[in-house]
Each structure stands twice: as structure tokens, then as C-alpha cells.
Amino acid sequence: MKYIVRFHDNPGMEDQRQAHMSAHLSFLQAQGPVIYGAGPLFENDQGSGGLWLVEADSAEAVDALVRADPLFATGLRKSWDILEWRQVFRDGRRLI
């Protein structure tokens, strides 16, 4: 199943993001096709958390990935939402 993870970050922790970015990116890369999209979100040109697109068997498996991310232990993540996503459109075509 496909999931979207929407991260909400604690304000004032940009130094933690920068200090652990290399480990975070290595973690994402090591997941191969499981995490097939990831990146920061912005609101009014300010960082506003992040988003992952994930393929997993369950929301619990996705939560385990979130907790394994090197950024998790830093306290940067205030909260996150894990939502099942059913893709119905891709590359200009309906899928269902």
C-alpha cells in the first residue's frame, strides 16, 4: 500500500536538521524503493516540515521507518501524520 507521511517540525530546531542532514539523506537512500519520494515543505518561504511517499505493508511499518530516521532522535519532529494514499492518476492517465 502507498502512504503519505506529513511531518510537522518543532520550531527553532534548524540546527538539528542541518547537523543530521547527511545521515538523514543516507537513511532515505538506503530505503531504496520503500521511500520513493521525500522532501521539505514550505509555507511563506519558511520551512514547514516535510513529506514522504512510502510503499509499505502497513501504517505500523511506516511508523517504524519514521522512528528509524536519524532525525527522529533529535527532537526535530513535533508530530507526523501517516495517511494511506490511493493513487488514481499518474503521468496524465487514470489508473482506475
Side-chain angles (χ1 to χ4, degrees):
M1 290 186 283
K2 291 181 174 71
Y3 292 89
I4 292 175
V5 183
R6 166 53 160 111
F7 295 99
H8 308 272
D9 291 348
N10 280 307
M13 302 217 31
E14 184 61 28
D15 60 329
Q16 291 298 313
R17 179 189 319 282
Q18 295 311 314
H20 298 278
M21 184 56 65
S22 179
H24 169 65
L25 293 174
S26 292
F27 169 80
L28 293 175
Q29 187 173 13
Q31 303 314 305
V34 172
I35 299 175
Y36 59 92
L41 296 171
F42 295 88
E43 186 174 346
N44 299 322
D45 292 328
Q46 297 292 319
S48 181
L51 183 108
W52 288 359
L53 300 174
V54 181
E55 180 79 33
D57 292 332
S58 66
E60 293 80 14
V62 177
D63 190 65
L65 277 174
V66 168
R67 293 172 186 277
D69 182 353
L71 285 182
F72 183 80
T74 69
L76 173 69
R77 304 296 194 200
K78 179 170 79 174
S79 63
W80 57 95
D81 303 305
I82 299 171
L83 304 168
E84 184 179 338
W85 180 50
R86 296 181 185 158
Q87 188 174 15
V88 298
F89 196 84
R90 180 180 65 219
D91 297 328
R93 293 194 170 104
R94 283 183 61 174
L95 300 177
I96 57 173

